[in-house]
Amino acid sequence: MEGWLLRVGIPRALLYYYYFPLWNVFFEELGAEVVVSEQTNKQLVDEGIKISVPEICVPIKIYNGHILDLVKKSVDFFFIPRMESIKRGEFFCPKFMGLPDMIRYSIPGVKDKILEPGIKCATEKITDFRNYMNMADPLGVTETQIRKALKKAERVWLHFRSLCKAGFMIPDAMDVALGQKSKAEIELPRWPGDVNIGVMGYVYDVYDGFVGMDILNRLTKIGVSFRTFEMLNERVLGKQLKGLRKILFWTFSNKLLEAGYYFYREKVFDGIIHVTAFGCGPDSLLGKVMELESERYGKPFMTIRVDEHTGESHLQTRVEAFVDLIRRKKISHGGAGI
Amino acid sequence: MKVSFPYMGTTVIYKKLLELLGHEVITPPKPSQKTIDLGVKYSPEFACFPLKVIMGSYIEALESGAEVLVTSGGHGPCRAGFYAEIHRRVLENLGYKFDIIVFDELNWGFMNFYRGFKKLKGKNSIFKVIDSIKLVYRMIHQLDAHEKKVERLRAYEVHPGECTRAWDRIKEIYDGVYSEAELEKANKAANEILDSIKVRPVDERQRLRVGIVGEIYVVMEPSINMKIEEVLGNLGVEVERSQYLSEWVDFHMVPHRFSKPHELEILKKGERFIKIIIGGHAKQTVGYIVDFKERGFDGIVHLMPFACLPELVSQSIMPEISKQLDIPVITLSLDEQTGIANSLTRIEAFVDLIKNKKAKQTA
């Protein structure tokens, strides 16, 4: 390995938005060069669609597009973790669990270059070194090195999470955690404001430029304050699902469900926008639960479902209409006393 | 208690178990266009097809007076584990009054299972319950054996439709079984019926065999999979499914130590393509394809509900599996929009393809 850096490709998709700081530091500590795919763009999505099964959800099609982008960047390894479980008794969507299998047999040229740690932890701090041991041989590193790298990665990731909870949006929190920007450079979105909206959605939907279409900045621009699930404190979230007969068994979907109930219950929130991608299985059930609860709590709930054909003006119009509706409602209820 | 259940496959079995426990059973009507329409109307738009059909079935059952719904649960990661909760919330929102008993896997947690069990047990003695379960358990295995035979014979029947009629008759006979002695008699009668079916002799080298794999509900319920077994049988093809109730029970409801389910072996075979269990029956699907190939089958029909999460993973791998194992696979994804004529044409073409492939190989 001397004098020659291994290039590890990390697709800018799915849990990149949640775990990139951790993985980035981990690989750099091990002496590898981290190559991240481009921002999601139309061409990348189109290429992803071509090699995907037509029915599969948009985030996976996008993921495939990112893998193809990394193929072009001729990396030595593709980092495709098999996300199994980060909470006892809970799993990930089947597509996350079968992701390396799916990629291996459907995208030419990656077969023998996949790094696939099986992530199976008791907490979402996924730094149990045993999960990563199957990468020791391909990377040519030892257990001690892996442990050490993970320790450092963990620190950075925890810092990243605390920034999220302090109200930083994920791209900003990543920059700060990885030392590319200082905290002072970033202007925190206002919270709370006169209209406050809970945005429900997976990180790879909300923060992906193609699926989320920059919805958070759009909200800021029309003077709306927002919260997303990763900005909320786990302690508060953890209480939300008590008393439910049965909760979902996908960790991130449960986080959304918790956040959803929190948005419904806390007075400060005026409404909920659910951003989801076409074909998302867990969201098809989650959305229904939220829709039924909307009536009970008397708060407006809107779903924005994005697929590969959706235009930006559609999103803009609907968001504006939703916000107008909330503003009008507030005025008719004697507005001033918010 | 007036009890009902989701309609899937050989329903006489669920009916029997509940009847033996002294409940009044309301068998929902076989899923029809009306059932599907009802289900689609009230289900989440992007939910999978089985959830919608079962929703329709429940509504029909509740309309005909059911008070309690009995169903199986699950712990994911496939969506089916959450069906009961969604069904309950939607149906309650529609104003129906009912109780729902969900049986989660016995191999997962005992207490939940026990609670449901206690409700169903009612005033029956535990011995009566054990006897009933034993009887039904044997019945499941017998019925599945008969069905497998029907699926083989249908390809060669001399009088079209005879096998289907025989299978309907067998289910009727079993419907009248209430004791071990009657079960014995039914088994004998069923065997006689099957033996009396006239079949054409066919040379071993010309036999065409197709395995049906995929998600359990669309594989097991003929009314929503275009009666795929009959269709293939009428085209002169023997079929075998990956899913039978007896195997499901052995795998999910009986401790593996006793049942030694065949499915464990299948899972092992699936490992080559999908390393871990990812929910639903994706790994079984892949494992069964390997298994069918090893047993000399000529082709695979892969059925899945539209946008089924686990099966999409297996579908993504399918081209590679087909190539590596050298076995033709056709994937049909089913939902309320499925056009039958379109699918039938594809199946006919598929059968032609495997016929030619076989002819070339034997020539």
Side-chain angles (χ1 to χ4, degrees):
Chain A
M1 245 175 72
E2 299 299 308
W4 185 70
L5 280 186
L6 276 178
R7 286 160 58 85
V8 175
I10 299 185
R12 196 190 291 268
L14 297 184
L15 290 182
Y16 160 88
Y17 294 97
Y18 207 71
Y19 285 122
F20 178 68
L22 193 154
W23 291 328
N24 183 56
V25 172
F26 172 69
F27 283 115
E28 282 183 351
E29 279 300 301
L30 291 177
E33 183 191 341
V34 175
V35 180
V36 182
S37 53
E38 299 297 320
Q39 294 279 0
T40 313
N41 54 55
K42 185 78 185 136
Q43 193 203 342
L44 183 146
V45 176
D46 284 344
E47 284 173 8
I49 290 169
K50 267 186 213 145
I51 55 148
S52 308
V53 179
E55 281 167 37
I56 212 157
C57 61
V58 176
I60 296 286
K61 288 179 180 170
I62 292 179
Y63 194 87
N64 284 343
H66 282 278
I67 295 285
L68 287 177
D69 186 60
L70 290 172
V71 171
K72 274 185 229 156
K73 292 188 160 50
S74 52
V75 294
D76 299 308
F77 286 110
F78 298 84
F79 181 65
I80 307 173
R82 185 190 296 279
M83 303 302 294
E84 289 179 45
S85 172
I86 54 171
K87 195 171 175 192
R88 236 180 95 86
E90 290 185 0
F91 303 98
F92 276 82
C93 164
K95 291 173 208 162
F96 281 82
M97 299 171 74
L99 196 57
D101 301 322
M102 206 153 53
I103 305 280
R104 173 170 296 119
Y105 295 113
S106 61
I107 301 185
V110 299
K111 209 172 198 166
D112 309 311
K113 299 183 186 169
I114 295 180
L115 296 175
E116 47 164 321
I119 305 295
K120 216 170 168 182
C121 282
T123 65
E124 63 168 48
K125 188 183 73 186
I126 50 170
T127 48
D128 186 336
F129 77 96
R130 279 165 294 185
N131 289 336
Y132 295 86
M133 278 314 287
N134 68 357
M135 306 187 340
D137 278 346
L139 288 177
V141 293
T142 62
E143 186 187 313
T144 333
Q145 280 173 304
I146 288 187
R147 279 182 194 240
K148 219 176 108 203
L150 279 171
K151 208 167 229 172
K152 172 129 192 241
E154 179 180 322
R155 263 204 312 277
V156 173
W157 186 74
L158 287 175
H159 182 210
F160 161 75
R161 287 293 294 139
S162 71
L163 289 166
C164 290
K165 283 181 238 169
F168 283 89
M169 296 201 294
I170 281 182
D172 296 335
M174 272 188 197
D175 284 345
V176 175
L178 294 174
Q180 283 150 1
K181 270 186 194 167
S182 77
K183 248 186 186 176
E185 278 174 73
I186 291 160
E187 193 189 343
L188 267 187
R190 190 160 62 118
W191 179 260
D194 53 347
V195 175
N196 303 305
I197 285 186
V199 178
M200 276 175 79
Y202 301 109
V203 283
Y204 50 84
D205 286 342
V206 173
Y207 289 100
D208 185 280
F210 186 84
V211 178
M213 291 184 243
D214 215 9
I215 184 170
L216 298 182
N217 286 324
R218 275 170 206 265
L219 286 173
T220 309
K221 232 175 253 165
I222 52 173
V224 172
S225 301
F226 58 84
R227 276 290 177 261
T228 54
F229 84 90
E230 85 281 355
M231 294 179 178
L232 305 172
N233 203 307
E234 276 102 7
R235 256 198 325 247
V236 187
L237 287 182
K239 285 187 228 149
Q240 302 299 329
L241 300 186
K242 287 213 178 106
L244 286 191
R245 263 205 203 198
K246 187 167 190 174
I247 58 170
L248 296 162
F249 22 67
W250 307 290
T251 304
F252 278 96
S253 306
N254 267 334
K255 282 175 187 278
L256 289 194
L257 195 61
E258 285 167 350
Y261 273 106
Y262 178 75
F263 297 150
Y264 275 138
R265 284 173 186 149
E266 290 297 310
K267 249 192 146 145
V268 63
F269 291 97
D270 302 306
I272 300 180
I273 296 181
H274 182 202
V275 180
T276 178
F278 185 86
C280 177
D283 270 3
S284 67
L285 305 184
L286 180 74
K288 189 70 189 181
V289 173
M290 280 291 120
E291 200 185 301
L292 291 173
E293 295 289 5
S294 161
E295 230 164 277
R296 208 172 72 164
Y297 289 99
K299 272 190 193 175
F301 172 80
M302 173 172 78
T303 304
I304 295 183
R305 185 172 284 112
V306 181
D307 67 8
E308 51 266 49
H309 314 293
T310 309
E312 285 187 10
S313 48
H314 160 92
L315 178 116
Q316 184 75 17
T317 314
R318 288 194 60 199
V319 169
E320 277 172 11
F322 187 73
V323 171
D324 281 351
L325 178 140
I326 288 173
R327 286 217 165 98
R328 208 168 297 169
K329 198 167 135 193
K330 282 190 144 181
I331 292 169
S332 67
H333 285 315
I338 303 157
Chain B
M1 283 201 297
K2 288 184 180 171
V3 184
S4 192
F5 48 81
Y7 199 100
M8 176 173 94
T10 326
T11 45
V12 54
I13 288 162
Y14 324 117
K15 182 174 170 232
K16 192 87 306 172
L17 179 60
L18 294 167
E19 258 180 18
L20 286 170
L21 294 177
H23 300 296
E24 188 181 331
V25 180
I26 295 184
T27 308
K30 197 182 254 193
S32 60
Q33 194 55 45
K34 189 181 150 222
T35 319
I36 296 173
D37 290 345
L38 269 175
V40 167
K41 187 168 170 194
Y42 297 111
S43 306
E45 188 184 355
F46 288 94
C48 34
F49 191 42
L51 183 141
K52 296 179 184 177
V53 181
I54 295 172
M55 183 81 80
S57 260
Y58 281 159
I59 292 176
E60 287 179 324
L62 290 169
E63 287 293 338
S64 31
E67 295 159 344
V68 177
L69 303 173
V70 182
T71 182
S72 69
H75 292 268
C78 152
R79 276 182 280 185
F82 206 65
Y83 275 13
E85 188 61 22
I86 292 287
H87 285 137
R88 183 180 66 81
R89 286 182 184 229
V90 170
L91 292 172
E92 275 175 0
N93 198 47
L94 289 175
Y96 290 108
K97 299 262 176 293
F98 62 98
D99 196 6
I100 188 163
I101 299 177
V102 186
F103 283 98
D104 287 317
E105 284 176 26
L106 182 56
N107 290 336
W108 196 288
F110 184 73
M111 270 326 279
N112 264 335
F113 190 89
Y114 181 69
R115 247 173 273 149
F117 171 77
K118 221 168 137 190
K119 271 193 218 164
L120 274 189
K121 177 176 160 274
K123 291 197 178 67
N124 293 301
S125 77
I126 190 76
F127 298 107
K128 162 95 175 134
V129 174
I130 290 175
D131 276 351
S132 310
I133 289 179
K134 260 181 36 208
L135 182 69
V136 171
Y137 183 77
R138 292 189 48 202
M139 203 163 143
I140 296 175
H141 278 268
Q142 287 185 8
L143 272 165
D144 279 349
H146 296 319
E147 195 178 12
K148 278 185 185 171
K149 201 158 177 196
V150 168
E151 290 164 346
R152 274 199 308 275
L153 290 177
R154 196 183 273 127
Y156 314 116
E157 61 188 6
V158 174
H159 308 295
E162 198 177 355
C163 283
T164 307
R165 280 195 298 276
W167 175 229
D168 287 342
R169 179 81 196 100
I170 291 172
K171 283 187 282 189
E172 266 170 43
I173 294 175
Y174 274 86
D175 200 14
V177 170
Y178 289 91
S179 67
E180 290 284 339
E182 282 167 340
L183 183 70
E184 217 45 61
K185 235 190 267 165
N187 194 21
K188 228 163 129 197
N191 279 330
E192 272 164 25
I193 292 178
L194 290 176
D195 289 340
S196 71
I197 295 174
K198 252 211 192 130
V199 290
R200 285 179 279 121
V202 175
D203 187 57
E204 171 64 33
R205 275 172 307 174
Q206 278 168 359
R207 286 170 69 181
L208 285 178
R209 267 170 293 201
V210 164
I212 301 175
V213 300
E215 190 274 337
I216 184 164
Y217 191 76
V218 290
V219 168
M220 295 233 321
E221 180 44 47
S223 59
I224 63 162
N225 69 14
M226 314 170 291
K227 300 190 178 147
I228 188 106
E229 293 166 36
E230 265 182 73
V231 168
L232 286 166
N234 293 341
L235 290 170
V237 178
E238 292 178 34
V239 299
E240 190 176 319
R241 301 195 305 251
S242 59
Q243 308 283 349
Y244 289 90
L245 202 55
S246 54
E247 277 160 29
W248 189 86
V249 170
D250 279 348
F251 187 67
H252 290 273
M253 291 296 178
V254 187
H256 291 171
R257 221 164 348 132
F258 303 119
S259 60
K260 301 211 172 52
H262 178 49
E263 212 159 316
L264 288 179
E265 220 174 286
I266 295 297
L267 285 172
K268 192 112 220 131
K269 289 182 182 169
E271 218 147 85
R272 176 166 157 201
F273 296 102
I274 298 179
K275 285 200 185 129
I276 60 168
I277 293 184
I278 60 166
H281 292 90
K283 197 170 175 186
Q284 282 92 329
T285 293
V286 175
Y288 265 107
I289 297 180
V290 177
D291 186 60
F292 282 137
K293 173 69 191 177
E294 285 170 2
R295 285 163 48 201
F297 276 58
D298 303 294
I300 301 288
V301 174
H302 175 216
L303 299 178
M304 61 187 261
F306 179 77
C308 168
L309 307 176
E311 292 301 336
L312 272 174
V313 175
S314 50
Q315 195 197 351
S316 300
I317 310 177
M318 215 49 93
E320 185 68 22
I321 298 178
S322 173
K323 207 165 82 190
Q324 283 195 17
L325 298 177
D326 185 33
I327 188 166
V329 181
I330 182 174
T331 299
L332 297 174
S333 119
L334 304 163
D335 73 352
E336 63 267 24
Q337 317 275 350
T338 308
I340 295 202
N342 167 33
S343 301
L344 291 185
T345 315
R346 288 182 61 196
I347 292 170
E348 279 171 28
F350 180 72
V351 171
D352 280 345
L353 180 139
I354 57 172
K355 225 181 249 171
N356 288 338
K357 189 166 182 271
K358 182 132 197 176
K360 248 187 226 158
Q361 273 166 0
T362 43

